[in-house]
Amino acid sequence: MNSTERRSGLSVLIHSPYPLDKSAPGGVSSYVQELVPHLRDLGCTVTTVAPKVKDANNDAAEYNLGRTMSIEAIGTKLEAGITFNKGLARNILSKVNPDIIIAQQPEMPPNSGHTFISAIPKTETGRRLIPIVGQFHAGRPFGGLDLRTRLLTELAQRLRRPIFKYGVPVGLSATYVGTLRNALDGWLAISHGTENYPKEFAPGNYEVIPNGIDVETFTPEGPKFEEWQKDGRKTIFFAAGRHDKRKGLEYLVKAFIELVKEGNDDIKLKITGEGTETKKIKELIAREGEFDIEFLGLLPREDLARAYRSVDLFVAPSLGGEGFTRVIAEARASGAPVLCTNIDGQTEAIGPDFEPFMAAPADYKDLKKKVKKILNLPEEGLVGLRMRSMEDARRELAWPGIAKRNESYYRRVLSEVGYPPKWETRKTFLTKLIPPLGIIYVSDSAYTIKESA
């Protein structure tokens, strides 16, 4: 292998347990899709692997591994990959021959991250042939883990699989969690709050690199929703892809309704997104009376940026479980005043200027108080806060700089563990004779090193 050629541009493989759906917003999916072009701008060769998207036209992944199933954990409902096809995973690895693998949320159930990592061949010393960085996005959920997640966590700490040699089971593997823990060479977290949560099952020396934001799209310059401003009333804005309980929308609606009942009739509320809590929120509003609250559904990115420019206050009332609340940073970069709850994942996204206005989570009275406080700020003082917050977000969180920090970390890991040799899969007699065995059975020694590193 020509080491100079390989080092001139890293070959990076990014695995996501979530489908990379261009049409559906999602934290990890959006993160990967936005990071990839910036890594390529830096000269990296980037390959993405993820579960299939139902509509192939919306699939952003180069390779598919597994299908999705709906799961509910830490207060949110999402689609995640399930697969036992280690043979396919090994074939993908053989074709790509990456320098390094970035496993997004590798501990995420059901199992696609575990299957993918298990398919990476080992050296004679038992170490995975390709360096692996785990990148973690989830924060600690409000009120602790729910029963379903606790059961999954307990199962993951006990579950083992058979180890095969020449097609014959010769023992049991490390546990699900143990496999992940022992495989990682690097640890990335998108916030300090996120860092503290996975350390319980994936201890390591974490590097914290926050979410990036697209400062070309989310900018104060550009069109607005002029009709929102014609009536002279102030617009409060909530944005989320999914209306999960942990997003805290119920508390914002309660705060808004109470403000109006107290005589603050110069405000209105615009809500984007939809999900499991939407019906419940609409029923709450209907019981209380008629209010100027509009549900906008899912907005395209351009319309979301337009909305940020048009509002008087953006509010993120999440209860917990946030890694780094990117919509806060996007609103700031667009010049909007921001208010959020004081939880991990939001304290780092809010920046220093609006930090004093953070509200207690799950406390609509405190949220109401902070909303009123910001909306009643003198115009001159509010403009100064908006400008400083916008400049800070654009300076610290723009994607080109965040991508460079990620790429520099990949290089640091490679300098510590070494570049992998070039290799290819070698099929054994049994997998040739009975091809279906290759779906689950992939011998850790079933590869050939073609050239030394």
Side-chain angles (χ1 to χ4, degrees):
M1 177 183 66
N2 187 323
S3 296
T4 303
E5 180 183 332
R6 288 293 292 275
R7 289 171 189 268
S8 65
L10 294 181
S11 176
V12 180
L13 188 152
I14 299 178
H15 175 265
S16 170
Y18 310 107
L20 300 184
D21 191 335
K22 299 174 187 176
S23 66
V28 175
S29 174
S30 297
Y31 177 92
V32 172
Q33 292 182 63
E34 292 182 27
L35 172 64
V36 165
H38 294 283
L39 289 176
R40 288 174 177 158
D41 287 344
L42 293 169
C44 297
T45 300
V46 186
T47 305
T48 53
V49 180
K52 286 183 179 180
V53 173
K54 292 177 182 177
D55 182 353
N57 293 322
N58 289 323
D59 198 340
E62 278 84 20
Y63 291 94
N64 291 128
L65 180 65
R67 298 184 178 275
T68 58
M69 64 177 292
S70 295
I71 64 169
E72 189 168 344
I74 60 171
T76 189
K77 191 173 184 178
L78 41 81
E79 300 289 315
I82 181 167
T83 179
F84 297 95
N85 199 336
K86 289 178 62 180
L88 176 58
R90 176 67 62 85
N91 288 338
I92 293 170
L93 289 165
S94 181
K95 288 178 183 177
V96 176
N97 256 304
D99 293 321
I100 194 166
I101 292 170
I102 315 302
Q104 304 293 322
Q105 210 70 52
E107 86 294 358
M108 185 66 216
N111 78 327
S112 70
H114 181 269
T115 295
F116 189 76
I117 288 175
S118 298
I120 301 168
K122 294 179 181 178
T123 64
E124 291 77 4
T125 61
R127 188 173 154 271
R128 300 286 173 192
L129 189 65
I130 308 167
I132 309 166
V133 172
Q135 188 158 32
F136 298 90
H137 297 258
R140 186 179 299 280
F142 176 74
L145 298 177
D146 55 54
L147 178 59
R148 182 193 299 266
T149 309
R150 288 202 305 272
L151 291 173
L152 285 171
T153 301
E154 184 67 24
L155 180 63
Q157 293 179 16
R158 298 175 183 274
L159 192 64
R160 299 173 185 268
R161 64 172 178 82
I163 296 176
F164 293 90
K165 189 171 184 179
Y166 305 114
V168 178
V170 294
L172 294 175
S173 70
T175 63
Y176 185 102
V177 168
T179 298
L180 300 174
R181 182 183 292 131
N182 298 332
L184 298 183
D185 300 288
W187 302 263
L188 280 171
I190 60 169
S191 70
H192 289 287
T194 301
E195 171 191 13
N196 294 331
Y197 180 43
K199 270 186 174 178
E200 298 173 11
F201 51 83
N205 185 19
Y206 280 73
E207 180 85 358
V208 175
I209 303 176
N211 249 320
I213 50 174
D214 176 5
V215 296
E216 299 299 321
T217 299
F218 299 102
T219 172
E221 291 83 26
K224 299 180 179 181
F225 287 114
E226 302 292 346
E227 61 272 22
W228 290 9
Q229 302 172 323
K230 286 181 179 178
D231 60 7
R233 301 164 79 186
K234 294 181 178 179
T235 303
I236 300 169
F237 185 54
F238 170 91
R242 294 187 299 265
H243 291 172
D244 297 324
K245 186 174 183 178
R246 68 184 179 91
K247 292 297 181 181
L249 177 57
E250 175 184 354
Y251 296 92
L252 174 57
V253 168
K254 286 181 177 179
F256 177 85
I257 289 173
E258 193 157 308
L259 280 168
V260 174
K261 287 182 175 181
E262 290 175 357
N264 300 281
D265 54 2
D266 61 340
I267 57 175
K268 54 192 172 186
L269 177 61
K270 307 286 187 183
I271 297 169
T272 74
E274 56 190 25
T276 55
E277 294 291 297
T278 308
K279 182 180 178 182
K280 175 183 175 182
I281 299 299
K282 288 182 176 180
E283 289 172 350
L284 166 65
I285 296 167
R287 286 197 302 271
E288 294 291 335
E290 291 191 11
F291 301 89
D292 193 346
I293 300 175
E294 183 181 5
F295 287 80
L296 305 171
L298 293 172
L299 292 184
R301 285 166 56 80
E302 291 73 19
D303 283 349
L304 184 59
R306 196 175 176 185
Y308 288 141
R309 299 184 200 113
S310 309
V311 304
D312 297 279
L313 180 62
F314 171 78
V315 183
S318 296
L319 309 181
E322 299 288 355
F324 182 95
T325 309
R326 187 171 51 183
V327 288
I328 294 175
E330 290 173 346
R332 290 173 57 206
S334 304
V338 290
L339 165 61
C340 71
T341 43
N342 186 6
I343 61 170
D344 286 343
Q346 301 202 147
T347 55
E348 293 168 70
I350 191 69
D353 297 289
F354 285 99
E355 185 178 359
F357 299 95
M358 288 190 295
D363 185 341
Y364 77 90
K365 291 187 178 296
D366 190 43
L367 193 61
K368 177 192 72 171
K369 177 181 174 184
K370 299 297 171 52
V371 167
K372 194 170 182 178
K373 187 174 182 179
I374 291 179
L375 291 181
N376 288 339
L377 285 172
E379 183 63 23
E380 184 178 342
L382 183 57
V383 167
L385 283 173
R386 292 172 72 154
M387 289 298 295
R388 289 193 300 274
S389 179
M390 177 193 69
E391 291 167 358
D392 178 71
R394 299 178 71 81
R395 180 178 61 251
E396 299 296 329
L397 300 172
W399 264 123
I402 296 299
K404 180 60 181 173
R405 289 175 63 183
N406 277 275
E407 190 258 3
S408 296
Y409 183 73
Y410 305 161
R411 290 189 178 278
R412 192 195 315 168
V413 171
L414 284 166
S415 70
E416 293 171 356
V417 303
Y419 279 69
K422 195 172 182 181
W423 61 280
E424 64 181 16
T425 299
R426 181 179 68 237
K427 288 190 176 181
T428 66
F429 172 75
L430 244 106
T431 55
K432 288 179 181 177
L433 185 65
I434 314 175
L437 279 178
I439 293 175
I440 298 175
Y441 158 61
V442 177
S443 169
D444 283 330
S445 61
Y447 67 93
T448 302
I449 295 177
K450 298 177 72 177
E451 303 172 68
S452 59

